[in-house]
Amino acid sequence: MSQATNQSWGGRFSEPTDAFVARFTASVTFDQRLARQDIQGSIAHATMLARVGVLTDDERDTIITGLTEIQGEIERGEFNWSVPLEDVHMNIEARLTDKIGITGKKLHTGRSRNDQVATDIRLFMRDEIDVIEVELKRLREGMIELADREAETIMPGFTHLQTAQPVTFGHHLLAWQEMLARDHERLLDCRKRVNVMPLGAAALAGTTYPIDRHVSAELLGFDRPSENSLDAVSDRDFAIEFTSFASILLMHLSRMSEELVLWTSAQFNFIDLPDRFCTGSSIMPQKKNPDVPELVRGKTGRVYGHLMALLTLMKSQPLAYNKDNQEDKEPLFDTVDTVHDCLKAFADMVPAIEPKKASMYEAARRGFSTATDLADYLVRKGVAFRDAHEIVGQSVAYGLKTGKDLSEMSLDELKQFSATIEQDVFDVLTLEGSVAARNHIGGTAPNQVRAAAQRAREALAALKAGA
């Protein structure tokens, strides 16, 4: 190190970095979160260097012992992080040199902080994706089981937030599950592109040392080393892709949250959330606020912002590495934390939802939700669809005038709009008949809902098994 600058790169400089600039450009306050991955990568790098003869076996063992001890210091909170040393990498390397002497300085042979940080972030993202996937699986499992239990619980389906046709609560929950299934596929697909190793690209052009990148990749569990050294150190597509996944996932959780907030209101009164997921009011003692879904809905904008930040960060960067890329970590770290916490909250909360079946059923009876069933009934009797549509429209107008639902009208009342209507019309005007009539894959019939839940359960089990 240069005594004038006290930096690992100070040999070319004649004066120390300005104190403000040192603080402004340092990243150790947040990238110390990569310490475990940094040590993991360094151990693999030292192992590979010894295997190709750049380090001796004794040097390798000394380095690995020192790094393992440093890992212990960090885990116990005994490590002294230094801002003048800029980042997690130089802090660990400096401590290693303090512990084992000149051998510690040999660790950086054949690599740069550019490929080192790119490797650390990918290792970190791979670990976090695996943790997030566990919560996503847990949420899907809970949602599928609740849907199966509520396959016959009738509720209104909506378009434009207006009563449209009756569905079941189980069917609605499986619509949520379909969103999460697509998110799950996106997450696993993203992991494939995360799991490519940049180590060995060095600063931008590789190294003249006889390294074996396939050995390093195998030691670190990467699928393969990267193909191009320029791209390896400058690529942050995987971070953008993960944040894109996160934005779509949070959009889905936000849509679910909006419905949960509506359904817990006195105006809907469809469900009850256990008290542990709600809070009260400091002034209104009757209040029970659905804070968990409201907060998830709010955090969606935060993740959207991180996606735009990363896209903007990368949009004008020439090859290869630029200091701009230091700004990738904070939005990425916060996205990881936000996604994990939102999924955990939902995975805990969703299975505990208690449907208010009577309220749901009564709401489905309002709004002429079986009007389409009446039109379909007329078509099956030989009436042209457009004529059937007109007949049902007249029936609904009559119902609005008299305050009667279609199922509450007498046969004579219905026949005034079409002589084709017979006694069997009441088989389709009941909510149960309406739901059961849509007896096809993807339909609302309870047996179809249970079958769909079973298919979802099997698909998730196959995903767990790596099929």
Side-chain angles (χ1 to χ4, degrees), residues 241-289:
E241 185 174 359
F242 174 82
T243 313
S244 176
F245 147 80
S247 296
I248 297 172
L249 170 68
L250 264 291
M251 177 268 290
H252 288 152
L253 294 183
S254 184
R255 294 181 69 187
M256 299 172 200
S257 294
E258 175 72 6
E259 292 187 317
L260 291 173
V261 171
L262 288 171
W263 292 350
T264 57
S265 69
Q267 288 72 26
F268 275 78
N269 196 35
F270 282 5
I271 64 168
D272 188 39
L273 294 178
D275 290 352
R276 62 186 179 275
F277 299 108
C278 302
T279 64
S281 166
S282 62
I283 190 174
M284 295 171 285
Q286 84 282 9
K287 292 294 293 299
K288 180 178 175 180
N289 300 324

Side-chain angles (χ1 to χ4, degrees), residues 314-433:
M314 296 304 300
K315 76 175 183 64
S316 299
Q317 286 197 41
L319 290 171
Y321 183 84
N322 300 278
K323 188 68 170 177
D324 312 46
N325 285 348
Q326 182 171 295
E327 290 295 301
D328 65 352
K329 295 169 194 64
E330 289 176 290
L332 188 58
F333 291 164
D334 189 68
T335 298
V336 164
D337 293 341
T338 301
V339 167
H340 178 269
D341 290 351
C342 289
L343 282 173
K344 184 182 188 310
F346 259 64
D348 290 343
M349 179 180 64
V350 167
I353 292 173
E354 299 174 8
K356 296 184 177 181
K357 299 182 181 183
S359 294
M360 286 182 169
Y361 190 90
E362 180 58 32
R365 290 182 67 251
R366 299 191 301 269
F368 305 96
S369 63
T370 58
T372 303
D373 297 280
L374 178 55
D376 291 342
Y377 167 88
L378 290 167
V379 170
R380 287 194 297 271
K381 294 282 188 177
V383 179
F385 180 79
R386 284 302 170 198
D387 293 334
H389 193 286
E390 177 68 19
I391 291 167
V392 176
Q394 293 172 357
S395 303
V396 169
Y398 175 80
L400 290 169
K401 183 178 179 180
T402 60
K404 292 183 178 182
D405 184 69
L406 293 173
S407 62
E408 296 172 328
M409 297 178 191
S410 67
L411 180 59
D412 288 340
E413 286 176 304
L414 290 169
K415 286 180 75 68
Q416 66 181 307
F417 305 108
S418 174
T420 307
I421 298 175
E422 301 293 343
Q423 185 65 38
D424 61 351
V425 72
F426 295 104
D427 294 336
V428 301
L429 292 183
T430 65
L431 298 179
E432 290 81 1

Side-chain angles (χ1 to χ4, degrees), residues 131-149:
V131 172
I132 285 169
E133 192 201 358
V134 170
E135 292 300 319
L136 182 52
K137 286 177 179 175
R138 193 163 69 88
L139 172 55
R140 290 183 64 194
E141 287 170 345
M143 196 172 283
I144 291 166
E145 293 310 310
L146 182 59
D148 202 0
R149 290 199 304 272

